């Protein structure tokens, strides 16, 4: 029996809350924290040991992502990465760690809101096409056109005919993208029923994270089995050789991030790109230049 399993329900919830808080801290800040009471020391020895491995591997993998970014820019390669999965499965955390050290002009996130009245009358894929990458760009879709196979199907936001048309169209749509030179990578983040409930409860009790709980998220708890069926159908009917699905086991967030980034790197045929040496030019001084003082009314108050 693990240390967590030996605790009462109330104690387990407190430990889960501490883990959620610690997990949300910036990685570099986490590295500088000391093992003080109630902080990282509240985790067991195995968790603390893995944290050290996690940070080393994360920094190493992020270094590889920078090499991938340089190669994409140099070659004009185009990459689309789709992130789908259960609510609270860790998609956002993985996206954050992927983009954390990359150039936002090269790697950007597309997180589209619900379609408006005009968009509902368009070709279904039309609003997503506008966010596809140009040469030398990477686009990460935080949820994608697979909304139709998931939330729209489960919540009744599309008709049976629209649902079937999606599965007829999506393989051809993705083959068209692939034939035009866009590489498509599709991740599904999977967690257990119990883990999702624990993460939802942690969000409910944390005022900094309550915004993450939408009415749709809460509704998804009631429809767990319907979402499971929709996911199984989606993976079966839309995994094609040009754009297969990859399932990330997301119960352990940190392992899920490392596994996702590592697999992403393995799927793109990037190579190191040589960079010209950066030389800092000398400052040019002009004897007639005099810096003007900034008006006090424009200065931000120094409260800290």
């Amino acid at each position: 029996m693990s240390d967590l399993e030996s605790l009462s329900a109330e104690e387990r919830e407190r430990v889960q809350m501490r883990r959620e808080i610690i997990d949300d801290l910036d990685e570099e800040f986490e590295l500088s924290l000391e093992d003080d009471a109630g902080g990282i020391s509240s985790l067991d020895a195995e968790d603390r040991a893995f944290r050290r491995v996690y940070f080393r591997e994360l920094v190493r993998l992020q270094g590889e992502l920078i090499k991938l970014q340089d190669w994409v820019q140099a070659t004009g390669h185009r990459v689309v990465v789709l992130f789908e999965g259960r609510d609270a499965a860790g998609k956002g955390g993985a996206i954050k760690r992927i983009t954390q050290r990359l150039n936002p002009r090269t790697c950007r996130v597309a997180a589209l809101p619900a379609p408006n009245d005009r968009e509902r009358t368009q070709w279904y894929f039309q609003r997503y096409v506008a966010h596809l990458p140009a040469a030398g760009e990477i686009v990460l879709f935080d949820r994608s056109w697979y909304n139709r196979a998931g939330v729209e199907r489960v919540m009744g936001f599309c008709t049976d005919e629209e649902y079937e048309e999606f599965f007829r169209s999506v393989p051809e749509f993705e083959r068209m993208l692939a034939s035009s030179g866009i590489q498509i990578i599709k991740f599904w983040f999977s967690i257990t029923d119990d883990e999702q409930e624990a993460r939802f409860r942690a969000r409910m009790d944390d005022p900094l994270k309550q915004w993450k709980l939408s009415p749709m998220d809460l509704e998804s708890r009631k429809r767990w089995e319907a979402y499971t069926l929709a996911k199984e159908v989606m993976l079966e009917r839309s995994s094609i050789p040009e754009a297969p699905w990859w399932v990330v086991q997301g119960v352990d967030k940190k392992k899920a991030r490392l596994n996702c980034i590592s697999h992403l790197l393995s799927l793109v045929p990037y190579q190191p790109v040589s960079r010209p040496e950066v030389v800092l030019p000398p400052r040019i001084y002009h004897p007639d230049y005099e810096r003007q003082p900034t008006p006090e009314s424009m200065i931000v108050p120094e409260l800290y």
Side-chain angles (χ1 to χ4, degrees):
M1 179 182 293
S2 68
D3 293 346
L4 194 60
E5 291 173 340
S6 65
L7 301 176
S8 68
E10 184 177 351
E11 290 170 327
R12 283 199 300 271
E13 187 168 344
R14 283 201 297 270
V15 170
Q16 179 72 22
M17 281 291 296
R18 285 198 295 269
R19 286 180 173 176
E20 289 288 320
I21 292 170
I22 291 171
D23 184 70
D24 277 356
L25 297 175
D26 183 79
E27 313 293 350
E28 293 181 6
F29 182 47
E30 284 187 284
L31 281 171
S32 69
L33 288 177
E34 297 180 357
D35 289 351
D36 55 347
I40 295 175
S41 61
S42 64
L43 304 177
D44 60 32
E46 184 178 351
D47 281 344
R48 291 199 298 273
F50 178 70
R51 282 168 59 78
R52 290 190 288 272
V53 174
Y54 168 72
F55 291 129
R56 286 197 300 269
E57 281 300 291
L58 181 64
V59 171
R60 182 185 70 81
L61 292 172
Q62 288 179 332
E64 291 298 314
L65 284 171
I66 292 174
K67 295 178 184 177
L68 183 150
Q69 169 187 261
D70 292 344
W71 178 83
V72 165
Q73 288 180 302
T75 61
H77 194 61
R78 292 176 288 169
V79 184
V80 165
V81 189
L82 310 186
F83 290 84
E84 296 286 348
R86 298 280 189 182
D87 295 315
K91 301 180 297 298
I95 292 171
K96 176 182 176 183
R97 273 64 179 192
I98 290 170
T99 60
Q100 193 169 20
R101 306 184 194 282
L102 299 184
N103 184 342
R105 294 182 178 86
T106 300
C107 180
R108 55 188 168 82
V109 179
L112 277 61
N116 58 35
D117 291 341
R118 180 176 182 274
E119 289 170 334
R120 290 189 185 95
T121 67
Q122 294 175 343
W123 174 49
Y124 177 70
F125 299 98
Q126 187 168 336
R127 70 194 194 110
Y128 296 101
V129 169
H131 296 272
L132 293 174
E137 292 181 349
I138 304 167
V139 177
L140 312 180
F141 278 89
D142 187 353
R143 298 204 179 277
S144 66
W145 46 83
Y146 283 96
N147 275 341
R148 175 137 296 176
V151 64
E152 290 191 16
R153 174 63 170 176
V154 174
M155 300 302 297
F157 295 157
C158 67
T159 65
D160 290 345
E161 291 76 16
E162 289 171 332
Y163 178 69
E164 288 301 323
E165 177 57 33
F166 171 80
F167 280 121
R168 283 192 294 270
S169 300
V170 73
E172 295 306 315
F173 174 65
E174 291 178 356
R175 289 189 185 101
M176 181 176 62
L177 297 183
S179 66
S180 73
I182 297 177
Q183 182 177 3
I184 307 167
I185 300 171
K186 302 187 299 197
F187 289 118
W188 172 271
F189 279 70
S190 179
I191 57 171
T192 62
D193 188 352
D194 291 342
E195 182 64 21
Q196 186 189 58
E197 180 174 354
R199 293 181 187 179
F200 276 5
R201 291 191 179 280
R203 291 178 178 184
M204 289 167 60
D205 296 334
D206 185 349
L208 298 180
K209 299 171 74 174
Q210 286 176 358
W211 65 270
K212 292 185 175 184
L213 270 181
S214 69
M216 205 68 66
D217 294 335
L218 298 175
E219 187 66 28
S220 72
R221 282 300 300 157
K222 297 193 301 184
R223 307 191 188 208
W224 175 272
E225 293 180 0
Y227 272 100
T228 298
L229 177 59
K231 177 260 296 187
E232 292 169 348
V233 171
M234 182 191 76
L235 296 184
E236 179 182 356
R237 297 186 66 179
S238 62
S239 191
I240 60 175
E242 296 86 347
W245 277 105
W246 300 101
V247 177
V248 180
Q249 299 299 334
V251 171
D252 187 312
K253 287 183 179 181
K254 286 181 167 54
K255 290 181 180 179
R257 292 166 192 160
L258 297 182
N259 290 330
C260 178
I261 297 173
S262 177
H263 196 64
L264 170 61
L265 290 166
S266 74
L267 296 174
V268 181
Y270 71 98
Q271 299 291 333
V273 175
S274 59
R275 288 182 169 187
E277 181 181 358
V278 178
V279 178
L280 187 65
R283 163 81 191 286
I284 298 175
Y285 292 89
H286 296 90
D288 57 343
Y289 169 75
E290 182 177 345
R291 181 176 179 179
Q292 300 299 311
T294 303
E296 288 291 332
S297 60
M298 297 175 64
I299 297 176
V300 172
E302 296 188 9
L303 303 180
Y304 303 98

